[in-house]
Amino acid sequence: MIKRVFFILLLLTIQIYNVKSAEAFYPEASFFSENNDFVLHTIERGQTVYSIANLYHVSVEDIYEWNPGSREGIKTGETLKIYRTAAVQTYHTIQPKETLFSVSRKYQLKGEDILAANPGLSIENFNIGKTIRIPSNSAVVQTSATSLRSASSVKSTNKVKVALLLPFDVQGSATSDNAPKNKSVEYYEGFLLALNDLKTKGISVRLQVYDIGNGTSSLESLLRKSDLQTVNLLIGGSSNEQIRLISDFSGKMNIPYVIPFTTVSDGVVVQNPNTYQVNAAQLYLYAKTSLAFYNQFKNDNIIFLNSNKDSDKSDLMDQMKEDLTARRTTYTTTYEDNATALSYRFHSSRRNVIVPSDDSKETLLRLITSIKEIKNNQPNVDVALFGYPSWQIYSSDYAADFSRCNVTFFTAFYADPTSPAVRSFNNQFRRWYSRDLTNRFPRYGILGYDTGMYFVQLLNQYGTSAASNINKVKYDGVQMDFHFDRIDNSTGFVNTHLYFIEFNSKSSKPQIKKFD
């Protein structure tokens, strides 16, 4: 009861702010040309003088001095001079067949020198099309001479100061059964549980909580407050407009910024290399899912089912077909999901994998019925069903059917109801708040807990060197794991971790396969 009263008091003392509106933006890749004295940078949509200065490691005043008129404003398509006298870095776009070894040989460097100049870059994500910084030889010599001193100068943060900026809807956030109707409240509740567990590890946190509402009317005035300018971590924002304003503030103040909910457009992350996007954009999630699907099912008889329903999953299906074709892997497509039509396309000596084009419960149950009918008539047929994150909502009610039909679905979030960690969290949540988590995907209370545990420990251990050590925190998430990559060196980090949840008739529990 005391904990419940404490939580209610916390909510009542949240400061309420409105946020000023701002137009969302979607910057594209930066392009530049060179001559012997300077780089000509072509301004892309959404870029600012600040972001361009940060890209080239020069000051805003340098750009103003070299480009008269830029102080009054810059426009998309215009060019800016960036002089080489300012120690401008060399950039390299990774080409087909290039490796870390071949690029390092080309520039007469060691592979570790290039990795050190590109936080988040590794052999595993050294991908075609990624733009990386090439350090100068003088910079490498200087870095080598001071490496021991630099390694010993990483300072941990004894008391981590965190600001949560979320739309709480405090005036009406509870219903008659005391369940939050706002995901932000449940996220906050989970975050508080993380702080409680972090305290047992000796980690102290000073938490500042702000209700920023659903609009953007006064966020700019909030971000001018001195309390926010001294925090170690910003978490929050719901809409792209809110995220843009917080991201701009994060970049200017050099404060790490975690985007917890929204799958934002690339623009926000590209604009600020100090952002950490927990929920990867669809483009990256689908690309990783497609590759993982190929590696797991490339030797099987793959059948794509195009339903008559409108579907937002067509992009994934197109990506999968394109990747299979590029790797010379055959597949078939059907428009009928009854047992007779599917049996006609089955192969007797290979596993048959069905991939529907929509994630609806209706389609899922219809396919389960057809597969069960086929297996009743042909007990030896090998069949599997591949699907979508939303299927986990039905995994408890239809666990036996999932196992019999060998269901696999991909997801970035998964809270296994049978795992000790999830059971422990659910029990702790129930003790604190006298109710169960809302049954939705993802579980926002667990999301708050996981992000709190991961990022507070990251800052506590590595302080201002967090970006260089982003994947070194040892933490097994309750609902999600974290593995961050930069899409290229000028962007923020994106959590690219992926699960395949696999049900089969040989095991009573689903198998969880992880992809970093």
Side-chain angles (χ1 to χ4, degrees):
M1 181 65 184
I2 294 175
K3 289 178 179 177
R4 289 182 62 196
V5 172
F6 170 71
F7 170 69
I8 293 171
L9 288 174
L10 278 172
L11 280 181
L12 290 176
T13 56
I14 291 174
Q15 300 177 56
I16 301 175
Y17 296 90
N18 292 318
V19 197
K20 188 172 182 179
S21 63
E23 184 180 352
F25 60 98
Y26 305 90
E28 301 166 359
S30 299
F31 297 91
F32 54 88
S33 57
E34 305 179 49
N35 73 11
N36 292 330
D37 299 319
F38 55 83
V39 170
L40 276 179
H41 176 91
T42 302
I43 301 165
E44 296 300 313
R45 183 172 45 173
Q47 288 186 326
T48 64
V49 172
Y50 170 80
S51 67
I52 296 169
N54 186 63
L55 176 64
Y56 291 103
H57 290 281
V58 298
S59 71
V60 170
E61 288 301 321
D62 284 334
I63 292 181
Y64 287 153
E65 180 181 345
W66 300 330
N67 300 271
S70 60
R71 192 181 299 272
E72 283 70 40
I74 60 175
K75 296 180 180 180
T76 300
E78 294 179 342
T79 57
L80 295 175
K81 287 183 180 179
I82 311 293
Y83 278 88
R84 291 184 178 278
T85 54
V88 175
Q89 296 275 355
T90 300
Y91 292 85
H92 177 87
T93 300
I94 302 170
Q95 303 300 312
K97 299 184 179 181
E98 283 190 329
T99 65
L100 176 61
F101 177 75
S102 67
V103 172
S104 62
R105 287 288 298 272
K106 177 178 180 178
Y107 291 98
Q108 298 181 337
L109 297 168
K110 295 179 181 179
E112 53 263 37
D113 296 331
I114 293 178
L115 295 180
N118 296 269
L121 183 67
S122 67
I123 296 175
E124 290 75 18
N125 61 24
F126 199 84
N127 299 328
I128 296 170
K130 180 176 289 188
T131 301
I132 59 175
R133 284 193 181 99
I134 304 298
S136 65
N137 287 320
S138 60
V140 171
V141 171
Q142 183 179 4
T143 300
S144 299
T146 60
S147 58
L148 290 177
R149 186 164 64 251
S150 298
S152 62
S153 65
V154 174
K155 296 182 179 179
S156 62
T157 303
N158 294 327
K159 175 174 280 189
V160 181
K161 294 185 286 186
V162 181
L164 285 183
L165 302 103
L166 299 170
F168 284 101
D169 186 23
V170 175
Q171 299 296 327
S173 61
T175 59
S176 57
D177 62 356
N178 201 35
K181 70 181 189 179
N182 189 306
K183 65 185 180 184
S184 296
V185 173
E186 195 160 276
Y187 179 92
Y188 172 49
E189 291 171 329
F191 197 90
L192 289 179
L193 296 184
L195 300 193
N196 184 62
D197 287 351
L198 288 165
K199 187 175 181 180
T200 65
K201 297 175 178 288
I203 301 175
S204 178
V205 176
R206 177 185 175 186
L207 181 63
Q208 300 168 208
V209 185
Y210 303 89
D211 182 3
I212 62 173
N214 294 315
T216 54
S217 61
S218 61
L219 184 53
E220 287 178 332
S221 62
L222 167 62
L223 295 175
R224 285 194 292 268
K225 291 183 174 294
S226 58
D227 286 348
L228 276 179
Q229 295 175 9
T230 59
V231 300
N232 305 117
L233 181 65
L234 298 161
I235 302 177
S238 181
S239 67
N240 273 4
E241 291 83 358
Q242 291 176 343
I243 291 169
R244 176 188 178 182
L245 292 178
I246 301 172
S247 178
D248 285 348
F249 174 80
S250 157
K252 292 173 183 176
M253 303 305 299
N254 195 29
I255 301 173
Y257 170 37
V258 176
I259 305 170
F261 303 145
T262 310
T263 302
V264 299
S265 63
D266 298 341
V268 175
V269 179
V270 168
Q271 193 73 2
N272 179 8
N274 219 7
T275 54
Y276 299 83
Q277 188 173 334
V278 169
N279 190 10
Q282 181 173 287
L283 172 67
Y284 310 129
L285 182 63
Y286 281 3
K288 192 158 191 174
T289 298
S290 180
L291 178 59
F293 176 87
Y294 165 78
N295 288 330
Q296 181 151 330
F297 299 107
K298 59 187 175 184
N299 296 319
D300 299 328
N301 179 34
I302 300 169
I303 305 167
F304 289 105
L305 171 65
N306 279 351
S307 68
N308 294 322
K309 298 171 65 76
D310 290 334
S311 171
D312 61 351
K313 310 304 177 186
S314 59
D315 287 345
L316 173 59
M317 186 170 284
D318 291 343
Q319 173 89 54
M320 294 167 72
K321 289 179 178 179
E322 181 179 327
D323 287 347
L324 291 171
T325 300
R327 292 170 172 82
R328 299 181 180 179
T329 301
T330 60
Y331 61 85
T332 60
T333 301
T334 184
Y335 296 87
E336 298 181 82
D337 57 13
N338 61 75
T340 301
L342 291 174
S343 296
Y344 178 75
R345 297 184 178 275
F346 276 14
H347 199 287
S348 59
S349 61
R350 296 162 64 192
R351 180 171 56 173
N352 302 279
V353 182
I354 304 170
V355 185
S357 62
D358 75 87
D359 64 346
S360 68
K361 183 179 181 180
E362 177 187 0
T363 296
L364 171 63
L365 296 183
R366 203 164 53 241
L367 280 170
I368 286 175
T369 300
S370 295
I371 292 172
K372 288 165 66 176
E373 181 181 340
I374 292 171
K375 292 180 74 70
N376 285 336
N377 296 329
Q378 305 174 57
N380 295 325
V381 71
D382 193 357
V383 59
L385 183 57
F386 184 83
Y388 302 95
S390 60
W391 286 9
Q392 63 187 284
I393 298 172
Y394 320 117
S395 60
S396 295
D397 292 341
Y398 299 97
D401 289 330
F402 275 33
S403 295
R404 188 176 184 190
C405 297
N406 297 314
V407 170
T408 295
F409 58 81
F410 74 91
T411 182
F413 306 89
Y414 183 65
D416 179 4
T418 66
S419 77
V422 173
R423 287 178 174 177
S424 175
F425 180 88
N426 288 339
N427 290 335
Q428 186 181 15
F429 190 92
R430 193 177 298 112
R431 286 196 304 270
W432 272 59
Y433 306 115
S434 300
R435 72 175 201 287
D436 291 327
L437 282 167
T438 306
N439 184 23
R440 54 186 165 189
F441 164 79
R443 301 294 179 91
Y444 286 99
I446 306 181
L447 180 60
Y449 180 87
D450 281 339
T451 51
M453 293 295 293
Y454 186 85
F455 282 99
V456 171
Q457 289 184 92
L458 173 68
L459 288 170
N460 176 257
Q461 292 178 41
Y462 297 106
T464 56
S465 298
S468 301
N469 298 278
I470 182 62
N471 290 318
K472 293 183 180 179
V473 174
K474 304 300 181 183
Y475 175 68
D476 291 325
V478 178
Q479 179 178 235
M480 72 179 305
D481 287 333
F482 300 92
H483 182 87
F484 288 93
D485 289 314
R486 291 192 193 273
I487 305 309
D488 63 53
N489 196 66
S490 65
T491 72
F493 290 96
V494 176
N495 183 19
T496 60
H497 186 84
L498 178 72
Y499 298 112
F500 273 12
I501 312 301
E502 304 175 349
F503 293 78
N504 64 75
S505 56
K506 299 177 182 178
S507 175
S508 59
K509 294 181 59 177
Q511 305 301 305
I512 302 174
K513 185 173 288 187
K514 300 181 178 182
F515 301 91
D516 285 333

